[in-house]
Amino acid sequence: MSTQASARPSQSRIQRTGDAVVRSLLRSPLHRLLSGRLLLVTVLGRKSGCEYTNPVGYADHDGALLVGTTAGWRRNLRDGEAVRVRLRGSEIQARAEVIADEARLAALAPVVVSANPIHGRYAGIELEPDGTVDRDDLRRAMANGYVIVRLSPV
């Protein structure tokens, strides 16, 4: 048994702990510390029917919220389905649209990456000097399950 493996928590444990802290902050009066870049999205599990609430980075775009992700929660979404969103301290309802085709992703990814450069680094997507998305980066991200979820408030 490796002592290094037991001495350091797994990435998923660190992620779960961090997400729990962020969820608590976004639900509190201190939400302003994070709510300029992060929101909470609550989806229902397709099979379990359980609610899952995830903190995610977002970008405002044409009256909607764009969330770039490879995370598993997106698999629970059906286009047009209502989801709960906690945005800047308020709970709203939104319709979800999962965008997975390259042309639309190429048009929207620069919006997401410009608004949240950390997301771009995490997803492995860089922008070209002219502000367009690097297509090779985008294709690699798509191969890893990258989509953009468009949340339209109702």
Side-chain angles (χ1 to χ4, degrees):
M1 182 160 111
S2 168
T3 57
Q4 184 179 16
S6 61
R8 199 171 68 194
S10 69
Q11 181 63 35
S12 60
R13 179 188 239 171
I14 293 168
Q15 185 71 44
R16 283 192 307 269
T17 302
D19 284 354
V21 170
V22 170
R23 276 192 298 273
S24 294
L25 278 170
L26 288 173
R27 289 178 175 137
S28 80
L30 298 173
H31 70 85
R32 286 178 184 85
L33 296 171
L34 301 174
S35 62
R37 291 194 183 220
L38 297 174
L39 59 79
L40 294 175
V41 61
T42 301
V43 300
L44 286 176
R46 282 189 181 197
K47 294 179 183 176
S48 69
C50 293
E51 283 191 342
Y52 298 97
T53 301
N54 301 285
V56 295
Y58 71 94
D60 287 305
H61 181 67
D62 290 342
L65 305 166
L66 302 179
V67 176
T69 187
T70 58
W73 64 266
R74 67 176 169 70
R75 290 187 208 98
N76 288 312
L77 296 176
R78 293 177 193 94
D79 281 346
E81 182 174 54
V83 296
R84 276 195 345 255
V85 174
R86 185 157 193 89
L87 176 67
R88 298 182 197 108
S90 297
E91 192 97 2
I92 63 170
Q93 293 289 313
R95 296 266 176 234
E97 175 189 8
V98 179
I99 300 166
D101 66 275
E102 185 177 340
R104 289 187 69 200
L105 286 174
L108 295 175
V111 175
V112 174
V113 173
S114 294
N116 194 345
I118 293 170
H119 168 74
R121 287 192 296 275
Y122 178 76
I125 299 172
E126 291 189 18
L127 299 181
E128 299 289 356
D130 65 358
T132 60
V133 70
D134 179 299
R135 286 293 184 122
D136 291 333
D137 287 352
L138 181 61
R139 288 183 191 112
R140 277 191 293 279
M142 290 173 65
N144 289 324
Y146 183 79
V147 299
I148 290 177
V149 178
R150 185 174 191 268
L151 299 170
S152 301
V154 291

